[in-house]
Amino acid sequence: QVEIVGDLLSELKNRDKYFIATKVSVRGGGDRAAAMAQMDNSFKALKTEKIDLMQIWNVSNPELLAPVLDEMKKAGRIRYTGITSSFKGQYADLEASMKKYKYDVVQIDLAIDNRSAEERIIPLAKDLGMAVLVNSPFGRNRVLSKVMSKPLPDWAKEFDAATWPQFCIKWIVSNPVVTAAIPGVGRVDYLTDDMAAARGRLPDGRTGTLPL
C-alpha cells in the first residue's frame, strides 16, 4: 500500500498538497541502524525527500527512537515527530513518553464506546501543546455494528450528520483538542461518506440518547 501511495504522488506531481504520515517500530533486538533502515525504506517507497509526520508505533522503544526522530527533524527530513497507541494498557508508558520527549503529535484510539483517552491522554496532550490524531473512530467497527441497522436520530440534523459514520466522526472532531480523525477506509464509497463529515456543523456538547 505504501508503494501505491508513492507511485500516485509521483504520477500526480503535486507532493506539496499532501500531508504524509507514517510510523517506525523497533522491538526486541532492534537498534538505531534497524530504525534508520526502516525509515529509509519509507522515504523510498513514498518517493519523497521529506515526510511530514514520523510516529513511533505503539510506544515502541521511545528511549531509542525519540532522539532519532528529533535528529531527523532538525535535519529537515521530517516536519513533525509523534507517538501512537491503540491500547489502554500502554497509556502509562505513553504518558511518560509524552512528558519526557514533547512530541508534536500523539495518535490515540477514541470512539463513542471507548472514551478513556478523554480522561488521560487528550488532556495531557492539551497541556503539552501536542496535536491529537484519533484512530479507530468506529471502535474497530464495534459502534457501526450496533447502530447501522437503526435510524439516525433526528437531532443529528442539528450538526449536519447524514449517516452513522459521519455522526461518529463529527462527534470526535468536535472535541477542540482533536486535530483529525483517521477512519481507515477500504472502499471509495466509504471514503466519500467519511469525507462528508468534514463539512457542515459540529456537535456543540448537548447529547441525545444513542441506541448503543
Side-chain angles (χ1 to χ4, degrees):
Q1 293 180 347
V2 175
E3 288 78 6
I4 293 173
V5 172
D7 290 342
L8 289 172
L9 290 173
S10 179
E11 182 179 336
L12 292 170
K13 301 185 186 305
N14 58 353
R15 164 68 183 86
D16 60 326
K17 294 185 179 295
Y18 297 92
F19 187 95
I20 298 178
T22 189
K23 303 172 186 176
V24 59
S25 170
V26 174
R27 293 190 180 278
D31 56 13
R32 179 189 174 95
M36 294 302 299
Q38 187 180 139
M39 288 187 283
D40 284 341
N41 287 337
S42 294
F43 281 98
K44 292 174 183 176
L46 290 165
K47 294 181 172 61
T48 184
E49 297 294 323
K50 191 170 189 175
I51 288 175
D52 297 292
L53 172 60
M54 184 68 75
Q55 305 162 97
I56 299 172
W57 178 76
N58 270 344
V59 202
S60 167
N61 201 340
E63 290 75 17
L64 169 67
L65 293 176
V68 174
L69 296 193
D70 285 338
E71 291 174 18
M72 294 182 70
K73 181 180 177 180
K74 290 177 182 177
R77 296 197 71 195
I78 62 177
R79 290 176 64 194
Y80 303 110
T81 65
I83 189 167
T84 82
S85 176
S86 298
F87 306 99
K88 298 180 184 67
Q90 296 177 334
Y91 282 6
D93 290 339
L94 176 62
E95 288 169 323
S97 189
M98 290 167 65
K99 292 174 184 177
K100 182 175 181 179
Y101 295 110
K102 307 297 193 297
Y103 306 97
D104 298 306
V105 178
V106 61
Q107 183 185 140
I108 196 69
D109 54 316
L110 178 67
I112 289 175
D113 69 340
N114 171 29
R115 304 176 64 171
S116 59
E118 289 183 325
E119 302 168 3
R120 299 175 58 175
I121 306 303
I122 292 177
L124 177 60
K126 180 181 179 181
D127 291 343
L128 295 173
M130 294 180 187
V132 175
L133 300 181
V134 169
N135 58 55
S136 303
F138 307 135
R140 293 184 173 86
N141 284 331
R142 290 188 313 271
V143 176
L144 296 184
S145 68
K146 294 177 182 177
V147 301
M148 286 297 283
S149 62
K150 301 173 183 178
L152 199 66
D154 286 341
W155 48 268
K157 297 175 184 177
E158 297 177 10
F159 50 90
D160 302 310
T163 66
W164 279 114
Q166 292 173 28
F167 183 106
C168 294
I169 295 173
K170 281 177 173 282
W171 175 79
I172 285 171
V173 299
S174 67
N175 185 319
V177 185
V178 171
T179 306
I182 309 170
V185 294
R187 292 177 10 187
V188 173
D189 55 332
Y190 291 169
L191 174 63
T192 302
D193 190 13
D194 292 347
M195 287 297 293
R199 297 189 288 271
R201 296 167 290 180
L202 293 175
D204 61 6
R206 293 176 295 170
T207 304
T209 301
L210 290 176
L212 292 178

